[in-house]
Amino acid sequence: MTPAVELREVAVHFGRTVALHGLDLSVAPGETLALLGPSGSGKSTALKAVAGFFRPTAGRVLLGGRDVTDLPPNRRGLGVVVQSYALFPHMKVSDNVAFGLRARRTPRRIVAERVAEVLSLVGMSGFRDRYPRQLSGGQQQRVAIARALAIRPPVLLLDEPLSALDAALREEMVAELLRLRSELPDTAIVYVTHDQGEVLALADRIAVMRDARLVEVGPTSALYHRPAESFTASFLGASNLLPVEVVDAGTVRLGELRLAASSAGLPPGEPVALGVRPHRVGVREYSGAGLAARLVAVQWRGTGFRLDLELELGHRLRAEVPAVDGLSVGSRVDVSIPDACPLVRVA
Ligand code: ADP
């Protein structure tokens, strides 16, 4: 199948700053690909190269198999939504949404139909005559999404679309975006964010970015459960990274403890670590049955407790547990690590 979006060795330099090293990525029609990474990792730059906001220093951008590297944004036929909504303040909701269609000289009857259709799609039918200032942040963002969808783009680019909203509204908008996605089964979505919660809920695949490079790309659940890179393990799910000794293909040793680990085909001889999610770490009163550790700090987090531990082997470890009966800061404890944690490459 021809990809909806394809980046071929796309590099972007701003003077001496390399915002993106040669990036190869493709997005299938109907697929949601998230670009996930910390601030400054090159996510927005990649998205803007697709949108056409600047010309890449090297490489090509293809949309539906067509090379658009030299086309301006308005001739790429994409829907784009940015963090700050960027609605036209002096235009009513309906005119904001109609803007792209009118720019394409779409007949009035069709403009009216489409505006009604996309406003209903985002649950904003009752707001067509309001001005942006008369809407909440979440409502403005819905209008921005409706505006992007009005031209029925094959590709929707979303750049941190929820980051200006408060936490409760963000949750609601994630549910809304999931619904929207199921109503637009053929639309490819490129979703830029640093929020792993949004990514896990929304993305079919994730491309993890760091320092202007792609770290790793894969299906969401595979990347969460079986990351190959230590950066992915820590950024997507806050894994502890424990240096271990590889015994054989499926076994590692951590002090006296032998554990079965899942290695996603890492070549032998590479420096590796075991990626252990805090909620999978078990902590009990000391009896000598597990790895001995000292409890360094306890924080109550509402749904449970976050514990900072210092293994007597010499590593720090974070755990999340539902209860801390009988444990207090300074206690000697037993730590257990489950089998089948992923073995990751240490960058
Ligand atoms: P992210 O979206 O992951 O936060 P960006 O893609 O915005 O990261 O930025 C990647 C790098 O490129 C950063 O170091 C940033 O400072 C730099 N950069 C981005 N846009 C410009 C620009 N217009 N001029 C100069 N440097 C830029």
Side-chain angles (χ1 to χ4, degrees), residues 14 17-19 37-46 48 159 192:
F14 295 106
T17 306
V18 180
S39 174
S41 56
K43 310 178 299 288
S44 280
T45 301
K48 286 174 184 159
D159 191 353
V192 163

Side-chain angles (χ1 to χ4, degrees), residues 20 22 28 38 52 78 159 262 281 311:
L20 201 61
L78 299 169
D159 191 353
S262 95
V281 176
L311 293 177

